[in-house]
PDB file of all heavy atoms in Angstrom:
ATOM      1  N   GLY K   1      25.422  18.565  67.206  1.00  0.00           N
ATOM      2  CA  GLY K   1      26.008  19.796  66.699  1.00  0.00           C
ATOM      3  C   GLY K   1      27.517  19.681  66.582  1.00  0.00           C
ATOM      4  O   GLY K   1      28.112  18.650  66.925  1.00  0.00           O
ATOM      5  N   GLN K   2      28.142  20.724  66.097  1.00  0.00           N
ATOM      6  CA  GLN K   2      29.588  20.715  65.909  1.00  0.00           C
ATOM      7  C   GLN K   2      30.225  21.931  66.565  1.00  0.00           C
ATOM      8  O   GLN K   2      29.644  23.023  66.572  1.00  0.00           O
ATOM      9  CB  GLN K   2      29.939  20.682  64.420  1.00  0.00           C
ATOM     10  CG  GLN K   2      29.529  19.384  63.732  1.00  0.00           C
ATOM     11  CD  GLN K   2      29.971  19.356  62.289  1.00  0.00           C
ATOM     12  OE1 GLN K   2      29.719  20.297  61.532  1.00  0.00           O
ATOM     13  NE2 GLN K   2      30.630  18.274  61.886  1.00  0.00           N
ATOM     14  N   VAL K   3      31.418  21.715  67.106  1.00  0.00           N
ATOM     15  CA  VAL K   3      32.175  22.785  67.758  1.00  0.00           C
ATOM     16  C   VAL K   3      33.581  22.793  67.189  1.00  0.00           C
ATOM     17  O   VAL K   3      34.223  21.741  67.094  1.00  0.00           O
ATOM     18  CB  VAL K   3      32.224  22.594  69.290  1.00  0.00           C
ATOM     19  CG1 VAL K   3      33.079  23.690  69.938  1.00  0.00           C
ATOM     20  CG2 VAL K   3      30.818  22.576  69.876  1.00  0.00           C
ATOM     21  N   THR K   4      34.065  23.946  66.810  1.00  0.00           N
ATOM     22  CA  THR K   4      35.471  24.114  66.451  1.00  0.00           C
ATOM     23  C   THR K   4      36.198  24.640  67.676  1.00  0.00           C
ATOM     24  O   THR K   4      35.861  25.717  68.187  1.00  0.00           O
ATOM     25  CB  THR K   4      35.637  25.089  65.276  1.00  0.00           C
ATOM     26  OG1 THR K   4      35.001  24.552  64.121  1.00  0.00           O
ATOM     27  CG2 THR K   4      37.122  25.309  64.976  1.00  0.00           C
ATOM     28  N   TRP K   5      37.176  23.849  68.141  1.00  0.00           N
ATOM     29  CA  TRP K   5      37.947  24.201  69.340  1.00  0.00           C
ATOM     30  C   TRP K   5      39.264  24.841  68.889  1.00  0.00           C
ATOM     31  O   TRP K   5      40.186  24.160  68.452  1.00  0.00           O
ATOM     32  CB  TRP K   5      38.220  22.967  70.188  1.00  0.00           C
ATOM     33  CG  TRP K   5      36.965  22.279  70.654  1.00  0.00           C
ATOM     34  CD1 TRP K   5      36.285  21.284  70.023  1.00  0.00           C
ATOM     35  CD2 TRP K   5      36.234  22.568  71.852  1.00  0.00           C
ATOM     36  NE1 TRP K   5      35.170  20.920  70.746  1.00  0.00           N
ATOM     37  CE2 TRP K   5      35.113  21.688  71.878  1.00  0.00           C
ATOM     38  CE3 TRP K   5      36.413  23.466  72.900  1.00  0.00           C
ATOM     39  CZ2 TRP K   5      34.183  21.694  72.920  1.00  0.00           C
ATOM     40  CZ3 TRP K   5      35.487  23.474  73.939  1.00  0.00           C
ATOM     41  CH2 TRP K   5      34.393  22.605  73.947  1.00  0.00           C
ATOM     42  N   LEU K   6      39.347  26.154  68.987  1.00  0.00           N
ATOM     43  CA  LEU K   6      40.541  26.865  68.532  1.00  0.00           C
ATOM     44  C   LEU K   6      41.710  26.652  69.480  1.00  0.00           C
ATOM     45  O   LEU K   6      41.550  26.764  70.706  1.00  0.00           O
ATOM     46  CB  LEU K   6      40.251  28.360  68.429  1.00  0.00           C
ATOM     47  CG  LEU K   6      39.156  28.795  67.449  1.00  0.00           C
ATOM     48  CD1 LEU K   6      38.881  30.276  67.612  1.00  0.00           C
ATOM     49  CD2 LEU K   6      39.556  28.465  66.017  1.00  0.00           C
ATOM     50  N   PRO K   7      42.907  26.367  68.960  1.00  0.00           N
ATOM     51  CA  PRO K   7      44.087  26.291  69.816  1.00  0.00           C
ATOM     52  C   PRO K   7      44.567  27.693  70.185  1.00  0.00           C
ATOM     53  O   PRO K   7      44.056  28.699  69.662  1.00  0.00           O
ATOM     54  CB  PRO K   7      45.108  25.582  68.917  1.00  0.00           C
ATOM     55  CG  PRO K   7      44.725  26.019  67.530  1.00  0.00           C
ATOM     56  CD  PRO K   7      43.212  26.126  67.542  1.00  0.00           C
ATOM     57  N   VAL K   8      45.532  27.754  71.081  1.00  0.00           N
ATOM     58  CA  VAL K   8      46.164  29.028  71.428  1.00  0.00           C
ATOM     59  C   VAL K   8      47.663  28.914  71.177  1.00  0.00           C
ATOM     60  O   VAL K   8      48.217  27.811  71.104  1.00  0.00           O
ATOM     61  CB  VAL K   8      45.900  29.425  72.901  1.00  0.00           C
ATOM     62  CG1 VAL K   8      44.423  29.708  73.115  1.00  0.00           C
ATOM     63  CG2 VAL K   8      46.383  28.348  73.868  1.00  0.00           C
ATOM     64  N   ASP K   9      48.316  30.069  71.063  1.00  0.00           N
ATOM     65  CA  ASP K   9      49.757  30.055  70.857  1.00  0.00           C
ATOM     66  C   ASP K   9      50.484  29.921  72.195  1.00  0.00           C
ATOM     67  O   ASP K   9      49.847  29.754  73.253  1.00  0.00           O
ATOM     68  CB  ASP K   9      50.207  31.295  70.085  1.00  0.00           C
ATOM     69  CG  ASP K   9      49.914  32.611  70.821  1.00  0.00           C
ATOM     70  OD1 ASP K   9      49.756  32.595  72.062  1.00  0.00           O
ATOM     71  OD2 ASP K   9      49.858  33.658  70.154  1.00  0.00           O
ATOM     72  N   GLY K  10      51.800  29.996  72.158  1.00  0.00           N
ATOM     73  CA  GLY K  10      52.593  29.796  73.368  1.00  0.00           C
ATOM     74  C   GLY K  10      52.390  30.860  74.420  1.00  0.00           C
ATOM     75  O   GLY K  10      52.770  30.661  75.577  1.00  0.00           O
ATOM     76  N   GLU K  11      51.776  31.972  74.048  1.00  0.00           N
ATOM     77  CA  GLU K  11      51.483  33.039  75.009  1.00  0.00           C
ATOM     78  C   GLU K  11      50.018  33.030  75.431  1.00  0.00           C
ATOM     79  O   GLU K  11      49.562  33.935  76.123  1.00  0.00           O
ATOM     80  CB  GLU K  11      51.871  34.394  74.419  1.00  0.00           C
ATOM     81  CG  GLU K  11      53.382  34.529  74.238  1.00  0.00           C
ATOM     82  CD  GLU K  11      53.786  35.851  73.636  1.00  0.00           C
ATOM     83  OE1 GLU K  11      52.989  36.418  72.834  1.00  0.00           O
ATOM     84  OE2 GLU K  11      54.885  36.334  73.948  1.00  0.00           O
ATOM     85  N   GLY K  12      49.291  32.008  75.007  1.00  0.00           N
ATOM     86  CA  GLY K  12      47.920  31.832  75.469  1.00  0.00           C
ATOM     87  C   GLY K  12      46.863  32.566  74.696  1.00  0.00           C
ATOM     88  O   GLY K  12      45.737  32.729  75.171  1.00  0.00           O
ATOM     89  N   ARG K  13      47.176  32.983  73.451  1.00  0.00           N
ATOM     90  CA  ARG K  13      46.206  33.759  72.662  1.00  0.00           C
ATOM     91  C   ARG K  13      45.734  32.986  71.436  1.00  0.00           C
ATOM     92  O   ARG K  13      46.508  32.283  70.787  1.00  0.00           O
ATOM     93  CB  ARG K  13      46.801  35.090  72.207  1.00  0.00           C
ATOM     94  CG  ARG K  13      47.307  35.975  73.338  1.00  0.00           C
ATOM     95  CD  ARG K  13      47.633  37.365  72.825  1.00  0.00           C
ATOM     96  NE  ARG K  13      46.459  38.231  72.873  1.00  0.00           N
ATOM     97  CZ  ARG K  13      46.221  39.226  72.018  1.00  0.00           C
ATOM     98  NH1 ARG K  13      47.050  39.441  71.025  1.00  0.00           N
ATOM     99  NH2 ARG K  13      45.157  39.975  72.150  1.00  0.00           N
ATOM    100  N   VAL K  14      44.452  33.151  71.151  1.00  0.00           N
ATOM    101  CA  VAL K  14      43.878  32.616  69.923  1.00  0.00           C
ATOM    102  C   VAL K  14      44.417  33.408  68.733  1.00  0.00           C
ATOM    103  O   VAL K  14      44.610  34.622  68.820  1.00  0.00           O
ATOM    104  CB  VAL K  14      42.336  32.713  69.978  1.00  0.00           C
ATOM    105  CG1 VAL K  14      41.705  32.537  68.620  1.00  0.00           C
ATOM    106  CG2 VAL K  14      41.774  31.713  70.978  1.00  0.00           C
ATOM    107  N   ARG K  15      44.657  32.717  67.634  1.00  0.00           N
ATOM    108  CA  ARG K  15      45.073  33.394  66.403  1.00  0.00           C
ATOM    109  C   ARG K  15      43.828  33.834  65.640  1.00  0.00           C
ATOM    110  O   ARG K  15      42.944  33.018  65.336  1.00  0.00           O
ATOM    111  CB  ARG K  15      45.920  32.464  65.548  1.00  0.00           C
ATOM    112  CG  ARG K  15      47.214  32.020  66.228  1.00  0.00           C
ATOM    113  CD  ARG K  15      47.927  30.971  65.385  1.00  0.00           C
ATOM    114  NE  ARG K  15      49.139  30.475  66.023  1.00  0.00           N
ATOM    115  CZ  ARG K  15      49.173  29.461  66.893  1.00  0.00           C
ATOM    116  NH1 ARG K  15      48.040  28.837  67.223  1.00  0.00           N
ATOM    117  NH2 ARG K  15      50.304  29.076  67.436  1.00  0.00           N
ATOM    118  N   VAL K  16      43.779  35.115  65.309  1.00  0.00           N
ATOM    119  CA  VAL K  16      42.597  35.660  64.631  1.00  0.00           C
ATOM    120  C   VAL K  16      42.354  34.932  63.316  1.00  0.00           C
ATOM    121  O   VAL K  16      41.210  34.602  62.976  1.00  0.00           O
ATOM    122  CB  VAL K  16      42.765  37.172  64.396  1.00  0.00           C
ATOM    123  CG1 VAL K  16      41.581  37.719  63.585  1.00  0.00           C
ATOM    124  CG2 VAL K  16      42.887  37.913  65.721  1.00  0.00           C
ATOM    125  N   SER K  17      43.411  34.652  62.576  1.00  0.00           N
ATOM    126  CA  SER K  17      43.253  33.995  61.269  1.00  0.00           C
ATOM    127  C   SER K  17      42.587  32.632  61.416  1.00  0.00           C
ATOM    128  O   SER K  17      41.768  32.239  60.571  1.00  0.00           O
ATOM    129  CB  SER K  17      44.610  33.838  60.578  1.00  0.00           C
ATOM    130  OG  SER K  17      45.500  33.060  61.374  1.00  0.00           O
ATOM    131  N   GLU K  18      42.918  31.895  62.457  1.00  0.00           N
ATOM    132  CA  GLU K  18      42.316  30.576  62.663  1.00  0.00           C
ATOM    133  C   GLU K  18      40.856  30.703  63.081  1.00  0.00           C
ATOM    134  O   GLU K  18      40.019  29.878  62.685  1.00  0.00           O
ATOM    135  CB  GLU K  18      43.118  29.787  63.697  1.00  0.00           C
ATOM    136  CG  GLU K  18      44.515  29.418  63.209  1.00  0.00           C
ATOM    137  CD  GLU K  18      45.290  28.584  64.223  1.00  0.00           C
ATOM    138  OE1 GLU K  18      44.797  28.413  65.361  1.00  0.00           O
ATOM    139  OE2 GLU K  18      46.385  28.116  63.864  1.00  0.00           O
ATOM    140  N   ALA K  19      40.545  31.716  63.862  1.00  0.00           N
ATOM    141  CA  ALA K  19      39.152  31.938  64.250  1.00  0.00           C
ATOM    142  C   ALA K  19      38.304  32.276  63.026  1.00  0.00           C
ATOM    143  O   ALA K  19      37.188  31.760  62.854  1.00  0.00           O
ATOM    144  CB  ALA K  19      39.063  33.052  65.287  1.00  0.00           C
ATOM    145  N   VAL K  20      38.830  33.126  62.174  1.00  0.00           N
ATOM    146  CA  VAL K  20      38.089  33.517  60.973  1.00  0.00           C
ATOM    147  C   VAL K  20      37.920  32.321  60.036  1.00  0.00           C
ATOM    148  O   VAL K  20      36.844  32.105  59.468  1.00  0.00           O
ATOM    149  CB  VAL K  20      38.804  34.679  60.263  1.00  0.00           C
ATOM    150  CG1 VAL K  20      38.121  34.998  58.936  1.00  0.00           C
ATOM    151  CG2 VAL K  20      38.821  35.920  61.163  1.00  0.00           C
ATOM    152  N   ALA K  21      38.986  31.533  59.896  1.00  0.00           N
ATOM    153  CA  ALA K  21      38.921  30.369  59.008  1.00  0.00           C
ATOM    154  C   ALA K  21      37.903  29.338  59.488  1.00  0.00           C
ATOM    155  O   ALA K  21      37.393  28.546  58.693  1.00  0.00           O
ATOM    156  CB  ALA K  21      40.307  29.727  58.903  1.00  0.00           C
ATOM    157  N   ALA K  22      37.586  29.351  60.787  1.00  0.00           N
ATOM    158  CA  ALA K  22      36.649  28.373  61.336  1.00  0.00           C
ATOM    159  C   ALA K  22      35.192  28.733  61.074  1.00  0.00           C
ATOM    160  O   ALA K  22      34.299  27.896  61.253  1.00  0.00           O
ATOM    161  CB  ALA K  22      36.879  28.233  62.843  1.00  0.00           C
ATOM    162  N   LEU K  23      34.922  29.964  60.662  1.00  0.00           N
ATOM    163  CA  LEU K  23      33.544  30.411  60.450  1.00  0.00           C
ATOM    164  C   LEU K  23      32.923  29.706  59.254  1.00  0.00           C
ATOM    165  O   LEU K  23      33.568  29.539  58.210  1.00  0.00           O
ATOM    166  CB  LEU K  23      33.507  31.923  60.251  1.00  0.00           C
ATOM    167  CG  LEU K  23      34.012  32.763  61.431  1.00  0.00           C
ATOM    168  CD1 LEU K  23      34.089  34.230  61.043  1.00  0.00           C
ATOM    169  CD2 LEU K  23      33.131  32.577  62.659  1.00  0.00           C
ATOM    170  N   ARG K  24      31.654  29.316  59.411  1.00  0.00           N
ATOM    171  CA  ARG K  24      30.947  28.589  58.363  1.00  0.00           C
ATOM    172  C   ARG K  24      29.567  29.187  58.177  1.00  0.00           C
ATOM    173  O   ARG K  24      29.122  30.026  58.981  1.00  0.00           O
ATOM    174  CB  ARG K  24      30.815  27.108  58.739  1.00  0.00           C
ATOM    175  CG  ARG K  24      32.119  26.464  59.099  1.00  0.00           C
ATOM    176  CD  ARG K  24      32.061  24.987  59.434  1.00  0.00           C
ATOM    177  NE  ARG K  24      30.820  24.406  59.869  1.00  0.00           N
ATOM    178  CZ  ARG K  24      30.736  23.240  60.528  1.00  0.00           C
ATOM    179  NH1 ARG K  24      31.844  22.549  60.801  1.00  0.00           N
ATOM    180  NH2 ARG K  24      29.561  22.747  60.893  1.00  0.00           N
ATOM    181  N   SER K  25      28.892  28.719  57.145  1.00  0.00           N
ATOM    182  CA  SER K  25      27.539  29.222  56.880  1.00  0.00           C
ATOM    183  C   SER K  25      26.557  28.813  57.968  1.00  0.00           C
ATOM    184  O   SER K  25      25.529  29.469  58.174  1.00  0.00           O
ATOM    185  CB  SER K  25      27.043  28.727  55.524  1.00  0.00           C
ATOM    186  OG  SER K  25      26.998  27.305  55.497  1.00  0.00           O
ATOM    187  N   ASP K  26      26.880  27.705  58.686  1.00  0.00           N
ATOM    188  CA  ASP K  26      25.983  27.246  59.749  1.00  0.00           C
ATOM    189  C   ASP K  26      26.504  27.592  61.146  1.00  0.00           C
ATOM    190  O   ASP K  26      26.041  27.041  62.141  1.00  0.00           O
ATOM    191  CB  ASP K  26      25.760  25.729  59.644  1.00  0.00           C
ATOM    192  CG  ASP K  26      27.033  24.920  59.852  1.00  0.00           C
ATOM    193  OD1 ASP K  26      28.138  25.492  59.690  1.00  0.00           O
ATOM    194  OD2 ASP K  26      26.934  23.720  60.177  1.00  0.00           O
ATOM    195  N   THR K  27      27.460  28.537  61.230  1.00  0.00           N
ATOM    196  CA  THR K  27      27.974  28.959  62.538  1.00  0.00           C
ATOM    197  C   THR K  27      26.969  29.887  63.199  1.00  0.00           C
ATOM    198  O   THR K  27      26.623  30.938  62.647  1.00  0.00           O
ATOM    199  CB  THR K  27      29.332  29.676  62.405  1.00  0.00           C
ATOM    200  OG1 THR K  27      30.259  28.820  61.735  1.00  0.00           O
ATOM    201  CG2 THR K  27      29.880  30.029  63.782  1.00  0.00           C
ATOM    202  N   ALA K  28      26.510  29.500  64.371  1.00  0.00           N
ATOM    203  CA  ALA K  28      25.567  30.331  65.115  1.00  0.00           C
ATOM    204  C   ALA K  28      26.272  31.349  65.989  1.00  0.00           C
ATOM    205  O   ALA K  28      25.786  32.471  66.169  1.00  0.00           O
ATOM    206  CB  ALA K  28      24.671  29.448  65.986  1.00  0.00           C
ATOM    207  N   LEU K  29      27.434  30.953  66.536  1.00  0.00           N
ATOM    208  CA  LEU K  29      28.031  31.761  67.600  1.00  0.00           C
ATOM    209  C   LEU K  29      29.531  31.536  67.675  1.00  0.00           C
ATOM    210  O   LEU K  29      30.009  30.409  67.507  1.00  0.00           O
ATOM    211  CB  LEU K  29      27.397  31.372  68.942  1.00  0.00           C
ATOM    212  CG  LEU K  29      27.844  32.122  70.192  1.00  0.00           C
ATOM    213  CD1 LEU K  29      27.303  33.559  70.184  1.00  0.00           C
ATOM    214  CD2 LEU K  29      27.360  31.405  71.451  1.00  0.00           C
TER     215      LEU K  29
END
């Protein structure tokens, strides 16, 4: 399987835009 590992910014938060961009047709979760 495949996992997209989202980075965080300097304050420790995931960027919403990067999370959305990682979504695919075969994303389960």
Side-chain angles (χ1 to χ4, degrees):
Q2 294 184 309
V3 177
T4 297
W5 300 90
L6 299 173
V8 294
D9 62 22
E11 293 179 329
R13 303 191 88 211
V14 164
R15 298 173 182 87
V16 175
S17 59
E18 293 182 352
V20 174
L23 298 173
R24 307 182 337 199
S25 60
D26 64 339
T27 304
L29 182 71

